[in-house]
């Protein structure tokens, strides 16, 4: 399908019916001092309208991260110039969103004014009829800030919305927990849209060669008893009562609070996920790193129980090796990509990007954020593969275009797969996301 020319805010794919963009009026709001950001970008970005190269995109992510401290500086976000979009929050999705940033930053967009012609860093007018509108039209810069956890990201998002002095006005929050874990600092004036772009799960590892090795599955109520003592008879539990080796007390470990892994598991348990770790002499550990348990004496390691992200476990990022650990099922269902995608595995959770709505107050930046991580069909991350461009001759779904350096729909899918996460939509095409509003 060819792309139709004209104003990108009204442009649609020929023979299609879904507008890609949609914001009529735009105003301005300080973000970066233009002279600083233009000076940084001027020697880096090509102006031929084609996708920018991976090496430069990686430099953009690094340098923009270093420029976070200048967010409070005076500046103007112009309607037809690149915007800088900052995401903060979850450690669990930090790596994957950095990869998304890279391919978004390098993707195709408008043909830019060539210096010394001014105004610089604006799209030439008129644009050629072949201009790409489905990717990064204005050549915006996306960057993922250092992770301080899901709760911290949501707090920054809400505090920025409330105008709290001294806060960083991030564009969106990375969240690995459901809205039931929304920080109390967020209030009814914080109108948020959650956009789920992948699925993950809480996985329960066991250490082989010890008391837990015979256990293949635990019921939800058994897991609640082990971690929260729902019976009230104390946290001292024998593995023999749960299918393991009799005479060996379960050594429960916990996760540092305020992390996404802690918040997600606590939501499923309905109580303090760290309660029995404190009672049994277990450790409170950084999320998703089995190393401290691996380093325990063999007897203590073999009677340990803990929880991690399935995606991190599947990729080996948790340091829980296949030779040393295995995963315990829940209610007879083992965690796997199919059981997580279908949600038959009970501890399945969505991974979200969260932005503020309505897209007013700072329409230039807010509209650009929505165009990147927003819901279908507005958000680049959520669009179906058939809406993205692809190289001419690429057999996959997409719109053939001479300016495409990759199939962007498949590139998004690959980042999700490589992170160990699970795609929301099992079909090869269609909406990649789910979304809903809070407040």
């Amino acid at each position: 399908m060819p792309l139709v020319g004209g104003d990108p805010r009204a442009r649609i794919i020929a023979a299609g019916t879904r507008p890609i963009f949609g914001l009529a009026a735009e105003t301005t709001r300080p973000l970066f001092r233009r002279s600083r950001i233009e000076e940084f970008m001027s020697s880096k970005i090509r102006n031929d309208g084609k996708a920018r190269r991976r090496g430069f995109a990686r430099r953009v992510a690094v340098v923009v991260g270093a420029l976070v401290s200048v967010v409070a500086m005076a500046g103007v976000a112009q309607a037809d110039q690149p915007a800088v979009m900052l995401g903060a929050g979850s450690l669990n999705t930090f790596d994957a969103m950095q990869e998304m940033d890279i391919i978004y930053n390098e993707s195709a967009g408008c043909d830019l004014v060539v210096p010394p012609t001014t105004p610089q860093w604006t799209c030439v007018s008129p644009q050629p009829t072949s201009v790409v509108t489905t990717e990064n039209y204005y050549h915006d810069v996306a960057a993922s800030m250092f992770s301080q956890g899901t709760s911290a990201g949501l707090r920054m998002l809400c505090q920025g919305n409330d105008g709290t002095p001294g806060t960083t006005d991030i564009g969106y929050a990375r969240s690995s927990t459901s809205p039931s874990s929304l920080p109390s600092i967020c209030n009814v004036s914080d109108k948020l849209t959650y956009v789920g772009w992948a699925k993950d799960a809480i996985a329960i590892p066991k250490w082989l060669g010890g008391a837990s090795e015979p256990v293949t599955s635990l019921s939800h109520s058994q897991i609640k008893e082990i971690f929260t003592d729902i019976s009230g008879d104390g946290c001292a539990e024998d593995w023999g009562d749960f299918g393991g080796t009799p005479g060996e007390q379960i050594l429960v470990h916990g996760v540092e609070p305020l992390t996404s892994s802690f918040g997600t598991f606590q939501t499923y348990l309905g109580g303090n996920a760290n309660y029995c770790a404190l009672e049994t002499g277990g450790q409170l550990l950084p999320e998703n790193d089995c190393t401290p348990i691996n380093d325990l004496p063999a007897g203590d390691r073999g009677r340990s129980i803990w929880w991690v992200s399935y995606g991190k476990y599947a990729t080996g990022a948790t340091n829980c090796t296949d030779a040393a650990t295995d995963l315990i099922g829940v209610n007879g269902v083992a965690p796997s990509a199919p059981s997580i995608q279908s949600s038959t595995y009970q501890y399945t959770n969505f991974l979200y990007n969260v932005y503020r709505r309505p897209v007013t107050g700072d329409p230039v930046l807010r509209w650009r954020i929505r165009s990147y991580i927003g819901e279908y069909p507005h958000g680049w991350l959520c669009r179906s593969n058939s809406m993205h461009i692809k190289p001419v001759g690429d057999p996959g779904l997409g719109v053939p275009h001479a300016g495409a350096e990759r199939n962007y729909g498949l590139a998004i899918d690959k980042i999700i797969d490589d992170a160990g996460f699970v795609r929301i939509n099992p079909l090869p095409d269609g909406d990649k996301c789910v979304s809903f509003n809070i407040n």
Side-chain angles (χ1 to χ4, degrees):
M1 293 182 293
L3 300 182
V4 181
D7 190 299
R9 285 161 287 187
R11 195 171 296 149
I12 61 174
I13 295 181
T17 59
R18 293 189 174 92
I20 301 302
F21 304 99
L23 186 65
E26 297 177 343
T27 59
T28 59
R29 185 176 188 276
L31 177 65
F32 279 79
R33 187 170 291 163
R34 276 180 53 192
S35 60
R36 289 288 298 276
I37 196 65
E38 289 177 356
E39 180 182 24
F40 151 62
M41 294 167 67
S42 62
S43 64
K44 302 292 186 182
I45 304 179
R46 300 184 320 187
N47 51 29
D48 61 359
K50 295 183 179 181
R52 288 161 289 178
R53 302 291 180 182
R54 177 174 296 274
F56 162 62
R58 290 188 183 277
R59 292 195 296 273
V60 167
V62 172
V63 177
V64 170
L67 291 175
V68 167
S69 61
V70 303
V71 170
M73 295 171 60
V76 177
Q78 297 287 354
D80 291 331
Q81 290 185 312
V84 177
M85 304 174 295
L86 304 177
S90 172
L91 175 62
N92 196 30
T93 61
F94 176 68
D95 292 338
M97 283 307 302
Q98 278 194 314
E99 293 299 316
M100 295 293 185
D101 294 341
I102 289 169
I103 63 170
Y104 188 68
N105 290 342
E106 73 179 19
S107 64
C110 74
D111 285 4
L112 294 167
V113 167
V114 179
T117 304
T118 59
Q120 295 172 4
W121 287 107
T122 58
C123 300
V124 300
S125 182
Q127 288 286 311
T129 56
S130 61
V131 65
V132 175
T133 64
T134 56
E135 312 305 326
N136 187 357
Y137 183 82
Y138 289 107
H139 304 288
D140 293 329
V141 180
S144 295
M145 298 174 70
F146 176 80
S147 175
Q148 294 180 291
T150 288
S151 295
L154 290 169
R155 288 190 181 99
M156 280 188 271
L157 192 68
C158 293
Q159 286 179 306
N161 184 57
D162 298 339
T164 305
T167 60
T168 297
D169 188 14
I170 63 170
Y172 67 94
R174 304 185 303 268
S175 175
S176 300
T177 62
S178 69
S180 62
S181 301
L182 195 65
S184 58
I185 201 168
C186 295
N187 54 58
V188 293
S189 68
D190 298 316
K191 301 185 183 302
L192 307 178
T193 295
Y194 275 67
V195 183
W197 57 275
K199 299 178 84 171
D200 193 13
I202 294 295
I204 312 292
K206 63 180 180 180
W207 274 258
L208 305 179
S212 64
E213 181 167 4
V215 181
T216 58
S217 182
L218 294 168
S219 68
H220 176 56
S221 60
Q222 285 178 317
I223 293 171
K224 290 176 68 175
E225 177 66 20
I226 290 171
F227 283 96
T228 67
D229 185 30
I230 56 172
S231 68
D233 63 355
C235 289
E237 302 288 353
D238 191 298
W239 268 118
D241 296 329
F242 296 85
T245 303
E248 293 284 347
Q249 181 180 319
I250 300 175
L251 180 58
V252 183
H253 301 284
V255 169
E256 294 173 346
L258 304 182
T259 60
S260 56
S261 296
F262 176 81
T264 300
F265 196 37
Q266 180 156 279
T267 298
Y268 282 116
L269 296 182
N272 183 2
N274 285 338
Y275 179 75
C276 283
L278 301 173
E279 293 293 316
T280 63
Q283 306 175 75
L284 294 187
L285 305 173
E287 65 180 337
N288 298 321
D289 186 359
C290 292
T291 302
I293 302 177
N294 295 340
D295 292 341
L296 290 174
D300 289 341
R301 183 173 62 245
R303 63 188 182 92
S304 292
I305 192 169
W306 197 43
W307 74 92
V308 295
S309 153
Y310 171 81
K312 297 295 186 183
Y313 182 91
T315 60
T318 59
N319 299 310
C320 305
T321 65
D322 291 340
T325 65
D326 203 351
L327 297 180
I328 297 174
V330 179
N331 293 330
V333 179
S336 66
S339 66
I340 292 169
Q341 190 170 70
S342 65
S343 295
T344 53
Y345 179 71
Q346 185 168 349
Y347 296 159
T348 295
N349 62 282
F350 286 93
L351 303 175
Y352 300 99
N353 290 317
V354 186
Y355 71 90
R356 301 194 297 265
R357 66 172 208 290
V359 189
T360 57
D362 185 1
V364 175
L365 181 59
R366 300 301 162 211
W367 170 40
R368 304 291 181 78
I369 291 166
R370 190 187 190 198
S371 295
Y372 176 35
I373 55 90
E375 67 278 11
Y376 177 91
H378 307 286
W380 173 86
L381 188 56
C382 295
R383 290 179 195 143
S384 61
N385 287 0
S386 60
M387 297 175 72
H388 286 285
I389 61 170
K390 65 176 184 176
V392 175
D394 186 304
L397 292 169
V399 181
H401 195 282
E405 292 189 350
R406 66 175 74 228
N407 184 317
Y408 287 98
L410 293 182
I412 293 170
D413 291 341
K414 186 176 187 301
I415 289 173
I416 294 173
D417 295 345
D418 289 350
F421 301 142
V422 179
R423 301 180 211 172
I424 291 173
N425 190 343
L427 302 176
D429 200 24
D431 185 356
K432 295 179 184 290
C433 300
V434 297
S435 64
F436 52 86
N437 295 334
I438 300 295
N439 297 333

